[in-house]
Amino acid sequence: SLRGYGQYNRLFSDRLFGYLRVDALHDAIADIEYRVGISPGAGYYFIKKENTSLRGEVGPGVIFEKQGDDSETYMTLRFAERFDHKLNERSKIWQTLEFLPQVDDWENFIINAEIGLETAITKSLSQRTYIQNTYDNQPAPDRRKNDVKLVAAIAYKF
């Protein structure tokens, strides 16, 4: 599988922000050739301290996907939250949860969750170890709804 995302946040005040997020996924085991999501929205920091933050995000979105033999495009809503806590200057833990229901068919939804630990190697490189859980309520034929991964990765920060 291959997964990536980019998100641009623009602060409007100390705690309120707007965002634009793009996600991309290829998962041969789940029979997802591609799933691309685009979502603009608004977010709010409920906790915003030097070492700890908790934010919520909400906004509309669109998903383009080829799952199994079916290709489709549908509108979603995006409800998400993210918690980060810096353990020290080189390490942090994080947790995320995202709910993506299809606007006109609430029985078609995806839940993404993640919890992990990141340790800096250099200023730009870090090592990440995390558990990622994806629940797809309408998976490809002959595939399970739940997909849990243990990931060890190298991250590069721009």
Side-chain angles (χ1 to χ4, degrees), residues 3-24:
R3 176 179 283 206
Y5 76 93
Q7 182 166 325
Y8 173 76
N9 292 346
R10 173 76 175 175
L11 283 171
F12 299 127
S13 71
D14 185 45
R15 294 182 181 259
L16 183 65
F17 64 94
Y19 71 86
L20 177 61
R21 182 180 179 94
V22 177
D23 294 275

Side-chain angles (χ1 to χ4, degrees), residues 33-52:
E33 183 67 27
Y34 61 85
R35 178 180 290 148
V36 177
I38 301 170
S39 177
Y44 186 81
Y45 283 95
F46 296 100
I47 300 171
K48 189 174 182 185
K49 297 181 181 177
E50 184 177 337
N51 292 330
T52 306

Side-chain angles (χ1 to χ4, degrees), residues 22-72:
V22 177
D23 294 275
L25 169 70
H26 166 76
D27 190 337
I29 294 171
D31 202 11
I32 299 169
E33 183 67 27
Y34 61 85
R35 178 180 290 148
V36 177
I38 301 170
S39 177
Y44 186 81
Y45 283 95
F46 296 100
I47 300 171
K48 189 174 182 185
K49 297 181 181 177
E50 184 177 337
N51 292 330
T52 306
S53 69
L54 173 64
R55 70 183 193 219
E57 301 172 353
V58 64
V62 62
I63 291 181
F64 307 91
E65 73 178 2
K66 182 174 184 195
Q67 183 172 277
D69 293 330
D70 297 328
S71 294
E72 64 179 324

Side-chain angles (χ1 to χ4, degrees), residues 28-142:
I29 294 171
D31 202 11
I32 299 169
E33 183 67 27
Y34 61 85
R35 178 180 290 148
V36 177
I38 301 170
S39 177
Y44 186 81
Y45 283 95
F46 296 100
I47 300 171
K48 189 174 182 185
K49 297 181 181 177
E50 184 177 337
N51 292 330
T52 306
S53 69
L54 173 64
R55 70 183 193 219
E57 301 172 353
V58 64
V62 62
I63 291 181
F64 307 91
E65 73 178 2
K66 182 174 184 195
Q67 183 172 277
D69 293 330
D70 297 328
S71 294
E72 64 179 324
T73 300
Y74 56 91
M75 297 298 296
T76 66
L77 293 175
R78 180 174 179 271
F79 302 97
E81 63 84 24
R82 181 178 178 102
F83 173 79
D84 289 280
H85 179 70
K86 233 176 156 176
L87 299 170
N88 56 44
E89 290 302 314
R90 299 179 49 93
S91 300
K92 75 172 186 173
I93 57 173
W94 80 91
Q95 171 275 322
T96 65
L97 182 63
E98 177 182 55
F99 176 58
L100 300 161
Q102 182 174 335
V103 171
D104 58 351
D105 180 9
W106 283 71
E107 302 249 341
N108 183 23
F109 63 87
I110 299 164
I111 298 173
N112 294 308
E114 194 172 274
I115 188 167
L117 170 67
E118 180 175 350
T119 304
I121 299 169
T122 68
K123 188 175 181 177
S124 299
L125 286 177
S126 61
Q127 190 277 328
R128 290 182 177 182
T129 304
Y130 55 96
I131 296 172
Q132 189 176 71
N133 187 16
T134 299
Y135 182 87
D136 186 345
N137 197 48
Q138 295 183 354
D142 301 321

